[in-house]
Amino acid sequence: MGNRVQAASSRRRLSRAPATTKRIIALAIRLNFLDSGFERDFAAFLTTKREVSEDVNAVVRAIIDDVRARGDAALADYSARFDGVDFSVTPMAVSAAEIDAAIDAVEPEVLGALKVAATRIEAHHRRQLPKDDLYEDKMGVGLGSRWTAIDAVGLYVPGGTASYPSSVLMNALPAKVAGVPRIVMVVPTRGGAINPAVLAAARLAGVEEIYRIGGAQAVASLAYGTETIAPVAKIMGPGNAYVAAAKRQVFGTVGIDMIAGPSEVLVIADRDNDPDWIAADLLAQAEHDAGAQAILITDDAAFGASVEQAVERQLKTLPRSETATASWRDFGAVILVPDLDKAVPLANRIAAEHLELAMADPDSMVPKIRNAGAIFIGRHTPEVIGDYVGGSNHVLPTARSARFSSGLGVLDYMKRTSILRLGPEQLRILGPAAIALAKSEGLEAHARSVAIRLNFGEEG
Amino acid sequence: MGNRVQAASSRRRLSRAPATTKRIIALAIRLNFLDSGFERDFAAFLTTKREVSEDVNAVVRAIIDDVRARGDAALADYSARFDGVDFSVTPMAVSAAEIDAAIDAVEPEVLGALKVAATRIEAHHRRQLPKDDLYEDKMGVGLGSRWTAIDAVGLYVPGGTASYPSSVLMNALPAKVAGVPRIVMVVPTRGGAINPAVLAAARLAGVEEIYRIGGAQAVASLAYGTETIAPVAKIMGPGNAYVAAAKRQVFGTVGIDMIAGPSEVLVIADRDNDPDWIAADLLAQAEHDAGAQAILITDDAAFGASVEQAVERQLKTLPRSETATASWRDFGAVILVPDLDKAVPLANRIAAEHLELAMADPDSMVPKIRNAGAIFIGRHTPEVIGDYVGGSNHVLPTARSARFSSGLGVLDYMKRTSILRLGPEQLRILGPAAIALAKSEGLEAHARSVAIRLNFGEEG
């Protein structure tokens, strides 16, 4: 790992354009498919780590143990210490009146936009509801797959600037569609105050049980319960290093969703795009996090250069310029290919969370893409639409995990139970094969449990 | 945790029937719903830990690093040391000729049984294949969920006595049905020899790429690749503590399946069962592992006692008596309820991997069961049928995780990509809501990436 990272940095120094002018804020990595070292450089680029994981396991373990031992009292202590909130003054549970007041406090335009988003997200996710499949085969064996909602889920909502109402909708609405009877939201506060838009989003998503707690202590209380908070069966939602470590530690006792990494976008674009549009899309990813990644693949070197210049220009006027600059400088990339077909295998190896196809005839490329969290087709589908109002979920697999996992959906809030039903006749037909396999595996009690029902003279 | 375990042990001492005779081999825990302390005792019973997790993380980390650094050479060294196999004599890759020979070596009865199982498992899992859902909403926005198979998966098959051909079928056939183009199997050997039935099962499941390697080194080679073995995207299958730790450590680089715990069965039975049948079912679980768990819930105390006596009798003649005795003694339980309806909430809290309903009218209970890996309906459906030839998967959630997860299926070998497509008109309608939300979340570059396409006078 160490070696690879070093290789990537030295390559990066080599492959950057010379910084001849002071005006240049940040230069992305440049790769050219036709260069002799491309495969080596691209492979190194793929394995570049974009986050440093802090080891907070011991601290988190202590907090979890304390919450298990002292329950509400521990929650009160940690919330006083970390969030500056006194539960004897501001209750831990958020009241319905508070949510009502929050809705009044949200700007009408934003509330309206949240409603548009909620309606579309709910409609799209309804189509993901699985159907039970109960049937009898030719032999008369009853078989089936039956889906049920998880009894109770916890939704972690980060505090501060990362407290996104859109994420509340994206995490809670699939649970509501799945039919989860109890959805519990936890959100850390600064002195007890919660972003009104977050509470409005919770109300729109049908979440009424909300506690102003956060960190590892909130995760522990959801997993093990306290006097006030009944435990849940699965914990969802993003959080900082403490929250991620706590989720990993309680996994097994409860289910957890994926641990999301920094966001990323891959834009495949031909020369007929407005460079400013593509630059804006790249920066929409880059502004999320210094570890975010924005990649452009194009078949036109001049267009690539125009996009780089547009990024430079736009960075100067961006409120989150510092973050976006760091992301573009450290992880941004412009990859030149001789033709866009060559972009397909690269895209499948990158397996981006978000993939934009901004080209003539994007539809012909879609079936060739095997690995992507979400695909945004055509010049008028910026990824940002998917973040908010497209209807699909914005919680998507990062860090190449789209090779083996999916975005958040209704199935993440449900589980499947298999059903099997034999009568005496079916057991008579299938039993001998089960006995033969059990015996060949050395599991005599397995064999007996079938044989004893067939009067095969096995000892009872 | 310490306290709870202690409470459970002292309770266990109290609630056991007095061991008045030397003939008694093992007594399970007895709980009675009508006892005043039932809720407390049942809650403690639920949290009893059944496995000690060995901390092998450091050793595993070193092995993984070594395989990443030295590739095939490291695999050869570890396999010589741990498995006593010399790859210069017995090649690491299993040849097609070897698989042919293995099939000839398997008893015809067992081979026939494997074919019955494979046919039924494949047919059942075909029904799990998800359908793509691509559609246009009323506004003309294109949306969709598209499923694709994972490019390559690795299947770990344990060596020694736990090398079950049935598990090869259960893990590999859903991958084949999903359309996974490359399935790689690894299996540790003693001196290079592989159970012929395992190779036969691999052939039946369409697995042709097989390596005789195991342990953390096999997991590392699947995750990172070596000169001989190309890396996969997801690693499935059970293994010992080293394998489990290795899977946890490579998670992220590749996907992994759940880490399975010891097996368990819950049988809900009325008095009209043959006690010997039910005892045989309980022991079929107990013989798996000293940490396995077999639980009977009945509404008839005399029937419960008869089953206990039958367990005693059958234990005496069981080849794996030592394992089954330890399991029944340490984790077995007989729970008496006043009527079988009272068993339902208990079953939902236990969330058993396997649930047998051996009673009159079992169908009326099925819809009330929310949490179970698999349900076996009626007196002629012993759980063992599901282990081998029922058609459903025998890889199921253990240790109460059926509250939030499902058994292995075709979806575990696929991933879903969201699709979004807007034209200029749809962007004009939906764009303003996205801009409002982006601005309210303080993400100006997000807002810009939409506004710039709408000529909203945002800076480009």
Side-chain angles (χ1 to χ4, degrees), chain A residues 1 68 109-110 113-114 116-117 120 124 127-128 133 135 137 139 141 143-146 148-151 164-166 181 233-234 252-255 276-277 280-281 283-284 287-288 313-314 317-320 356 363 366-367 369-377 379-382 384-390 392 396 402-409 411 415-424 427 430-431 433-434 436-438 440-446 448-450 452-453 459-460, chain B residues 1 68 109-110 113-114 116-117 120 124 127-128 133 135 137 139 141 143-146 148-151 164-166 181 233-234 252-255 276-277 280-281 283-284 287-288 313-314 317-320 356 363 366-367 369-377 379-382 384-390 392 396 402-409 411 414-424 427 430-431 433-434 436-438 440-446 448-450 452-453 459-460:
Chain A
M1 181 68 72
R68 291 184 69 178
E109 193 190 5
V110 172
L114 282 174
V116 168
R120 293 187 58 83
H124 177 69
R127 301 178 68 109
Q128 293 179 359
D133 180 33
Y135 64 100
D137 69 11
M139 200 182 284
V141 175
L143 286 132
S145 298
R146 197 194 54 177
T148 45
I150 294 174
D151 284 337
Y164 296 139
S166 59
K234 191 170 184 179
T253 299
V254 295
D276 268 316
W277 292 19
D281 297 355
L283 288 175
E287 77 170 339
H288 264 299
R313 271 199 312 277
Q314 293 186 28
T317 59
L318 211 56
R320 296 171 64 93
E356 284 187 17
D363 291 303
V366 174
I369 300 297
R370 293 181 58 84
N371 300 326
I375 305 176
F376 303 86
I377 303 176
R379 309 187 200 281
H380 290 86
T381 316
V384 168
I385 291 294
D387 284 342
Y388 295 112
V389 293
S392 50
L396 294 165
R403 290 174 300 132
F404 53 80
S405 62
S406 310
L408 189 68
L411 295 187
K415 62 260 176 352
R416 181 172 41 77
T417 297
S418 318
I419 310 263
L420 198 59
R421 178 188 191 130
L422 279 69
L427 189 66
L430 283 179
L437 289 173
S440 83
E441 292 184 352
L443 297 173
E444 195 61 39
H446 280 61
R448 209 181 264 183
S449 129
V450 176
I452 199 171
R453 287 169 163 89
E459 161 158 17
Chain B
M1 181 64 75
R68 290 184 71 179
E109 193 190 7
V110 173
L114 281 175
V116 168
R120 292 187 59 83
H124 177 70
R127 301 177 70 108
Q128 293 180 357
D133 180 34
Y135 64 101
D137 69 10
M139 198 183 286
V141 175
L143 286 133
S145 299
R146 197 195 53 178
T148 45
I150 295 174
D151 285 336
Y164 296 140
S166 59
K234 190 169 185 180
T253 298
V254 295
D276 267 316
W277 293 18
D281 296 355
L283 289 176
E287 78 170 338
H288 264 300
R313 270 199 313 278
Q314 293 185 29
T317 59
L318 211 56
R320 296 171 63 92
E356 284 188 17
D363 291 302
V366 174
I369 300 297
R370 293 182 57 83
N371 300 328
I375 305 176
F376 302 86
I377 303 177
R379 309 188 202 279
H380 290 86
T381 317
V384 169
I385 292 294
D387 284 342
Y388 295 113
V389 293
S392 50
L396 294 165
R403 291 173 300 132
F404 53 80
S405 62
S406 310
L408 189 67
L411 295 186
M414 305 185 78
K415 61 260 178 350
R416 181 172 40 78
T417 297
S418 318
I419 311 265
L420 199 59
R421 177 186 193 133
L422 279 68
L427 189 65
L430 282 179
L437 290 172
S440 84
E441 293 184 352
L443 298 173
E444 195 61 40
H446 280 62
R448 210 181 263 184
S449 127
V450 177
I452 199 171
R453 287 169 164 87
E459 163 158 15

Side-chain angles (χ1 to χ4, degrees), chain B residues 120-297:
Chain B
R120 292 187 59 83
I121 295 164
E122 186 167 343
H124 177 70
H125 285 76
R126 276 210 183 283
R127 301 177 70 108
Q128 293 180 357
L129 266 174
K131 286 198 178 59
D132 289 351
D133 180 34
L134 305 171
Y135 64 101
E136 248 184 37
D137 69 10
K138 281 182 293 187
M139 198 183 286
V141 175
L143 286 133
S145 299
R146 197 195 53 178
W147 291 90
T148 45
I150 295 174
D151 285 336
V153 302
L155 167 55
Y156 192 95
V157 177
T161 53
S163 185
Y164 296 140
S166 59
S167 293
V168 173
L169 297 180
M170 294 292 180
N171 279 278
L173 283 168
K176 182 185 170 193
V177 169
V180 173
R182 178 170 166 249
I183 307 173
V184 188
M185 193 171 112
V186 293
V187 52
T189 66
R190 197 59 51 89
I194 300 177
N195 176 356
V198 162
L199 292 181
R203 170 67 58 81
L204 288 174
V207 182
E208 297 288 339
E209 185 179 347
I210 305 172
Y211 302 100
R212 61 188 106 239
I213 53 174
Q217 62 274 22
V219 174
S221 68
L222 290 170
Y224 295 102
T226 69
E227 299 90 326
T228 302
I229 305 174
V232 302
K234 190 169 185 180
I235 300 176
M236 319 292 281
N240 63 17
Y242 293 84
V243 172
K247 281 168 68 180
R248 281 203 190 86
Q249 289 189 21
V250 301
F251 176 59
T253 298
V254 295
I256 61 169
D257 58 355
M258 54 185 148
I259 307 279
S263 200
E264 73 242 356
V265 71
L266 166 60
V267 182
I268 305 180
D270 62 20
R271 78 176 76 181
D272 294 333
N273 288 282
D274 183 329
D276 267 316
W277 293 18
I278 302 301
D281 296 355
L282 296 170
L283 289 176
Q285 275 321 294
E287 78 170 338
H288 264 300
D289 188 297
Q293 183 165 50
I295 307 169
L296 169 66
I297 301 185

